[in-house]
Amino acid sequence: MNIHELTVEALYDKIQSKEIKPSEVVGALFDRIEASDETIGSFLFLNKEEALKQAQTLDQLQEEDKMDGPLFGIPMGIKDNICTKDILTTCASRMLEDFKPVYDATVMEKLNDSNAILMGKQNMDEFAMGSSTENSYFKNVRNPWDTNAVPGGSSGGSAAAVAAGYVPFSLGSDTGGSVRQPAAFCGVVGMKPTYGRVSRYGLVAFASSLDQIGPITRNVRDNAKILELISGTHNKDATSVPDLATDFLKNIDKDLTGMKIALPKEFIGEGISEEVEASVKKAAETFRSLGATVEEVSIPHTKYVVSAYYLIASSEASSNLARFDGIRYGYKAEGAETLEEHYKKTRAEGFGPEVKRRILLGTFVLSAGHYDQHYIRAQKLRGVIEKEMKELFSEYDLILGPTAPTPAFNIGEKSEDQLEMYKDDLLTIPANLTGMPALSIPSGLSASGRPIGLQLIGDHFEEQKIYNAAFKFEEQFNLHEELKQLKLEVR
Ligand SMILES: NC(=O)C[C@H](N)C(=O)O
């Protein structure tokens, strides 16, 4: 048995039946991480001492038959913008290099209560701004399928770690695609839940009206299980929704006969690679063979979503990141003579180039004279896209499309061209602008052996339908065997 190949559910069963001990699981995964993560770069911090200690405590409970908690002994990785009490939470930024939160995010409280074991904090684009994890202040992440390729971003460390077999699941955050696009690039499953389903309390804010935390796993069932466990409101996140039904696994196996799926022509049009288009069309055939109908539709305003997103997200970022002033949190510049100089030096030295670019853009967009022309127009576009998608959902159960326009690109290929990088988010952004749930699952491999991701978008709070369709699709196509055979290059 290779422990690193096991899913959350398989590990759980083996621990419950006492076939393996939590400490064996944790030990085997740390061995794997230590053998190859120097190359992959998925972790910024390893919680080894604490994790081993916790595993030993759970070993004892296992012996005493007290295996409580739905994730008893299951290792996890957490994106480094999710607050973990007394444990570094850097957002992959120099600004927060030494920051240890004094509290746990709601999702961490829930996972800790489930008896999951924190293996470490995962690398990302600085403050979640990026699509390749090349914007991390500390180091790049390499794609476990091909170490010349990016893992996607911004949750690149979280997706790479799941693909590499370092952890059976991770949490990422998704503002414009940051869970789904890296999941697609790394051949794993990533869900951005409906805005409000998961509490954002303790997620370091980037763009608060778009941010959601979501699970990254190797299969659909694990994903549904983790979302069930992290869902729920918190009184310190007024946008989180209380009392939603979350028993996603109950109907996950439902027959798809009669399901109506829409395939917007803009999602397979300009800018989408031939390989990706072919993979989506093949997936549409698979859904048809499973009894669903798939029809081509249109979301005419798709072409404006990237501009609208980057205006709105940057505006919110410029406001949210104002708190990093060298007084209250994090990095403090030395040698400033005046308060203003202290702010300037701290922010100039503490933030990387992409974060600065967005703060500048956002500040410009929100300034008098530009606000109406840019910010208000972007918000209007957001309304239009929501209307167009809502209309589709009055007729269809799900919207289908690719997750990203191309398979993973090479490290360095787009890092000098921001617009090219931004355009990569075309297909993931609509779900963020509208708050709708969306999942990425593997749908193929490119000629060069890189994974291709398929995206299923649902109406608000329709995660159940997404998981159902994804589960049935996964029975027809998955990369589970290929994932098991990934040979991590050790340098
Ligand atoms: N944060 C995200 O969801 C990723 C998106 N590419 C961005 O840079 O904003």
Side-chain angles (χ1 to χ4, degrees), residues 128-131 153-154 174-178 206 309-310 358 425:
M129 298 176 190
S131 309
S154 63
D174 190 312
T175 308
S178 274
F206 160 17
Y309 168 81
Y310 277 91
R358 305 238 189 151
D425 300 343

Side-chain angles (χ1 to χ4, degrees), residues 173-205:
S173 67
D174 190 312
T175 308
S178 274
V179 162
R180 289 160 288 155
Q181 184 253 23
F185 282 12
C186 292
V188 292
V189 181
M191 171 65 118
K192 182 204 80 81
T194 307
Y195 184 80
R197 185 181 281 281
V198 178
S199 158
R200 289 178 296 111
Y201 179 58
L203 170 68
V204 179

Side-chain angles (χ1 to χ4, degrees), residues 65-111:
D65 277 319
K66 291 183 189 146
M67 292 167 282
D68 295 335
L71 295 176
F72 184 91
I74 307 295
M76 62 178 165
I78 300 293
K79 188 176 182 179
D80 211 20
N81 60 350
I82 295 174
C83 285
T84 41
K85 187 168 187 263
D86 298 328
I87 294 173
L88 282 174
T89 299
T90 69
C91 291
S93 179
R94 185 182 192 195
M95 191 58 99
L96 291 177
E97 196 169 359
D98 302 316
F99 176 61
K100 288 187 183 167
V102 293
Y103 69 102
D104 271 323
T106 315
V107 291
M108 287 315 299
E109 274 176 6
K110 288 177 185 282
L111 292 172

Side-chain angles (χ1 to χ4, degrees), residues 66-358:
K66 291 183 189 146
M67 292 167 282
D68 295 335
L71 295 176
F72 184 91
I74 307 295
M76 62 178 165
I78 300 293
K79 188 176 182 179
D80 211 20
N81 60 350
I82 295 174
C83 285
T84 41
K85 187 168 187 263
D86 298 328
I87 294 173
L88 282 174
T89 299
T90 69
C91 291
S93 179
R94 185 182 192 195
M95 191 58 99
L96 291 177
E97 196 169 359
D98 302 316
F99 176 61
K100 288 187 183 167
V102 293
Y103 69 102
D104 271 323
T106 315
V107 291
M108 287 315 299
E109 274 176 6
K110 288 177 185 282
L111 292 172
N112 290 336
D113 289 349
S114 306
N115 269 333
I117 300 176
L118 177 68
M119 299 291 279
K121 300 297 292 288
Q122 289 162 329
N123 205 352
M124 55 186 280
D125 284 301
E126 185 177 3
F127 283 103
M129 298 176 190
S131 309
S132 66
T133 315
E134 291 165 293
N135 296 335
S136 166
Y137 169 66
F138 301 104
K139 57 185 176 187
N140 277 351
V141 179
R142 291 172 183 274
N143 192 316
W145 290 79
D146 178 344
T147 51
N148 293 316
V150 301
S154 63
S155 314
S158 303
V162 172
Y166 298 155
V167 280
F169 83 94
S170 294
L171 291 190
S173 67
D174 190 312
T175 308
S178 274
V179 162
R180 289 160 288 155
Q181 184 253 23
F185 282 12
C186 292
V188 292
V189 181
M191 171 65 118
K192 182 204 80 81
T194 307
Y195 184 80
R197 185 181 281 281
V198 178
S199 158
R200 289 178 296 111
Y201 179 58
L203 170 68
V204 179
F206 160 17
S208 309
S209 76
L210 302 160
D211 299 338
Q212 265 295 282
I213 295 169
I216 300 177
T217 56
R218 284 194 214 114
N219 71 12
V220 175
R221 283 186 63 93
D222 278 2
N223 205 285
K225 184 181 169 95
I226 302 299
L227 181 57
E228 242 175 74
L229 295 172
I230 62 168
S231 290
T233 186
H234 190 285
N235 60 10
K236 290 202 173 82
D237 172 7
T239 62
S240 60
V241 181
D243 302 331
L244 293 165
T246 55
D247 194 1
F248 304 126
L249 287 174
K250 206 165 110 201
N251 287 319
I252 203 162
D253 196 15
K254 218 173 101 189
D255 185 38
L256 299 191
T257 305
M259 184 177 262
K260 291 188 75 183
I261 300 177
L263 174 58
K265 62 174 191 273
E266 294 80 5
F267 285 15
I268 46 172
E270 203 191 316
I272 311 301
S273 81
E274 275 173 28
E275 279 183 312
V276 168
E277 184 185 334
S279 180
V280 171
K281 287 191 167 154
K282 201 165 152 221
E285 280 315 311
T286 304
F287 280 115
R288 288 189 183 110
S289 72
L290 290 168
T293 54
V294 184
E295 287 171 4
E296 197 168 289
V297 298
S298 175
I299 304 178
H301 284 77
T302 303
K303 57 178 179 282
Y304 302 114
V305 297
V306 173
S307 316
Y309 168 81
Y310 277 91
L311 293 172
I312 294 169
S314 301
S315 299
E316 293 186 22
S318 73
S319 163
N320 273 326
L321 271 62
R323 74 193 69 181
F324 301 106
D325 56 7
I327 292 172
R328 285 169 289 190
Y329 296 93
Y331 181 77
K332 290 178 181 25
E334 302 281 330
E337 310 233 309
T338 64
L339 182 62
E340 195 177 322
E341 202 190 319
H342 179 69
Y343 289 155
K344 280 187 186 159
K345 259 176 98 62
T346 295
R347 290 167 70 81
E349 293 167 14
F351 290 136
E354 182 60 22
V355 175
K356 286 179 191 160
R357 190 176 293 120
R358 305 238 189 151

Side-chain angles (χ1 to χ4, degrees), residues 11-71:
L11 272 172
Y12 179 81
D13 290 346
K14 288 194 190 302
I15 292 173
Q16 291 291 316
S17 65
K18 299 192 178 179
E19 207 179 307
I20 34 177
K21 291 186 198 166
S23 62
E24 286 169 334
V25 176
V26 167
L29 296 188
F30 275 124
D31 285 349
R32 190 168 171 83
I33 294 169
E34 279 162 1
S36 57
D37 200 44
E38 212 175 303
T39 307
I40 300 298
S42 65
F43 280 97
L44 290 176
F45 168 74
L46 286 180
N47 191 35
K48 193 168 174 186
E49 214 177 297
E50 280 303 311
L52 291 173
K53 230 198 277 169
Q54 189 189 345
Q56 275 162 10
T57 308
L58 296 186
D59 283 0
Q60 189 60 42
L61 289 169
Q62 188 189 37
E63 251 173 58
E64 294 164 14
D65 277 319
K66 291 183 189 146
M67 292 167 282
D68 295 335
L71 295 176

